[in-house]
Amino acid sequence: MDVSAVPAEGQLVDRFGRVHRDLRISLTDRCSLRCTYCMPAEGVPWIMKDNILTTLELERVARVAASLGIDEVRLTGGEPLLRKDIVDVVRRMAAIEGPHGPLRVSITTNGLRLPQLMDDLVAAGLERVNVSIDTLDRQRFADLTRRDRLDDVLEGIRIARDSGLRPLKLNAVLLRGVNDDEACDLLRFAMDNDAELRFIEQMPLDAGHTWTREGMIEGAEILDRLSAEFDLEPVDARGAAPAERFVVNGGPHHVGVIASVTAPFCGACDRVRLTADGQIRNCLFARGESDLLPLLRGDADDDAIARLLRTSIAGKRAGHGIDDPGFLQPDRPMSAIGG
């Protein structure tokens, strides 16, 4: 792209006028589960340990990003709670001040380590938790994740509920012929635990590249299934949020549907991603990345890091292009990109 078109100051704004305020940081590509729609049973080639960003490097990038208007950091993976210094990472992130105040820090997790870490994470400044759960059936959970750990996830959700952090969100992916008959059961479970359930369309980000449009359960179909048992009232003012939200049975509970494939929200996207090995990605489905590692481990100053962030955002496309005939799935799977 024409580097002269890259803003030299101000917020992280792309050529379509989208202001970026949300930084997703992947802490590791490793995970304690092996979900069938994410990776094969044997896992994937892991990022070399020496290439994983240190805590000080993560803190530096977040501090520079905050100076450019980023006001929220979501820690992802892989499974972010596998990182040994996760509590220190949260503490350092929560202490960063931007133009609008301290960074708001949240995390997306499979919940397995929440019973051991929740109190320390809250004390460190964690504001919100998203826990992934796709089924309430033990055998299905074992089949889907290749691990018999449903009880541990349920305990993690209970711990998160009792922590008082709100909103507590639960993420679920419905797979045709696998767990798609549990949509209403999952919503009831979420409401019973004072959580907001968010159904996420299966996306072409699996390591095995087995995703097909025909096999995916679309957001509209999910809503049809829920509407058979619940009264859903749309919530206005979605803004940059990825989920289309609905009030359930008049409130107070809500449910959301993230239809990234069939109803993309690219026009309002305010997210930028940092992978565990220091790559900046301006879109979840981007095939190109901007490498921060040489800057972080060389003699570059913070201005150089800011310029790379600005350049990456300035080159962001209008949309992810899944419906384009020439769309190609990213080489990295979701576990290596970070949600």
Side-chain angles (χ1 to χ4, degrees):
M1 65 171 295
D2 181 6
V3 293
S4 65
V6 178
E9 57 184 18
Q11 296 177 300
L12 290 171
V13 183
D14 66 21
R15 53 193 165 146
F16 303 99
R18 295 172 293 197
V19 179
H20 291 68
R21 300 184 176 90
D22 186 335
L23 175 63
R24 307 292 173 100
I25 299 179
S26 176
L27 299 183
T28 177
D29 60 330
R30 297 175 184 266
C31 188
S32 41
L33 301 178
R34 293 291 182 271
C35 296
T36 57
Y37 57 82
C38 185
M39 66 173 73
E42 65 275 14
V44 296
W46 308 117
I47 296 172
M48 293 179 57
K49 185 177 180 180
D50 290 345
N51 288 344
I52 297 291
L53 294 185
T54 67
T55 300
L56 290 178
E57 290 166 343
L58 292 170
E59 181 183 19
R60 185 183 181 193
V61 176
R63 178 165 42 79
V64 173
S67 73
L68 302 177
I70 291 292
D71 56 26
E72 179 174 359
V73 166
R74 177 177 296 278
L75 303 175
T76 69
E79 173 45 50
L81 297 187
L82 289 180
R83 185 157 175 140
K84 293 180 180 179
D85 62 347
I86 179 61
V87 174
D88 189 40
V89 171
V90 170
R91 183 179 297 110
R92 289 173 180 271
M93 295 293 165
I96 294 173
E97 291 273 350
H100 307 296
L103 284 180
R104 293 176 287 118
V105 184
S106 58
I107 198 164
T108 296
T109 172
N110 60 29
L112 295 182
R113 298 200 67 217
L114 284 178
Q116 294 80 35
L117 294 170
M118 192 77 238
D119 289 346
D120 291 338
L121 291 169
V122 173
L126 186 70
E127 288 193 13
R128 290 197 295 109
V129 180
N130 285 30
V131 183
S132 299
I133 181 165
D134 300 322
T135 178
L136 301 171
D137 180 271
R138 179 184 303 281
Q139 187 57 53
R140 283 184 180 177
F141 186 92
D143 292 341
L144 264 172
T145 68
R146 303 185 178 98
R147 301 289 189 271
D148 186 11
R149 303 293 301 274
L150 176 61
D151 287 346
D152 297 316
V153 175
L154 296 178
E155 176 65 6
I157 292 171
R158 185 190 68 78
I159 292 292
R161 179 198 67 200
D162 293 347
S163 74
L165 296 188
R166 295 294 186 274
L168 168 62
K169 296 182 180 179
L170 306 182
N171 297 338
V173 176
L174 295 183
L175 306 175
R176 194 173 303 282
V178 178
N179 65 338
D180 52 327
D181 60 339
E182 290 190 73
C184 293
D185 290 338
L186 285 164
L187 179 50
R188 277 188 287 269
F189 171 80
M191 293 192 295
D192 288 344
N193 284 277
D194 196 25
E196 178 174 325
L197 182 62
R198 304 198 310 174
F199 290 101
I200 304 174
E201 284 184 342
Q202 185 187 7
M203 294 179 282
L205 291 169
D206 59 303
H209 289 207
T210 59
W211 177 91
T212 65
R213 180 70 175 257
E214 296 73 26
M216 179 192 70
I217 296 183
E218 298 186 359
E221 183 177 348
I222 295 171
L223 291 174
D224 285 344
R225 290 172 184 246
L226 296 178
S227 296
E229 296 190 30
F230 301 95
D231 177 55
L232 304 180
E233 181 68 26
V235 176
D236 295 331
R238 175 177 176 178
E244 183 181 6
R245 299 175 70 233
F246 300 83
V247 178
V248 182
N249 292 342
H253 299 293
H254 293 75
V255 65
V257 175
I258 301 178
S260 300
V261 177
T262 61
F265 51 93
C266 302
C269 180
D270 66 347
R271 292 156 190 76
V272 58
R273 288 172 168 80
L274 173 66
T275 67
D277 57 348
Q279 306 297 312
I280 292 293
R281 297 178 63 89
N282 59 26
C283 175
L284 184 60
F285 297 96
R287 291 188 58 81
E289 300 175 327
S290 300
D291 193 357
L292 270 178
L293 205 59
L295 301 183
L296 293 169
R297 298 185 178 176
D299 298 324
D301 58 16
D302 287 354
D303 287 342
I305 294 173
R307 283 194 297 273
L308 187 143
L309 286 167
R310 293 186 193 281
T311 301
S312 176
I313 295 303
K316 188 169 183 172
R317 297 174 58 191
H320 55 47
I322 291 178
D323 283 334
D324 296 342
F327 173 78
L328 294 175
Q329 183 172 332
D331 293 327
R332 287 190 191 240
M334 176 68 93
S335 60
I337 295 172

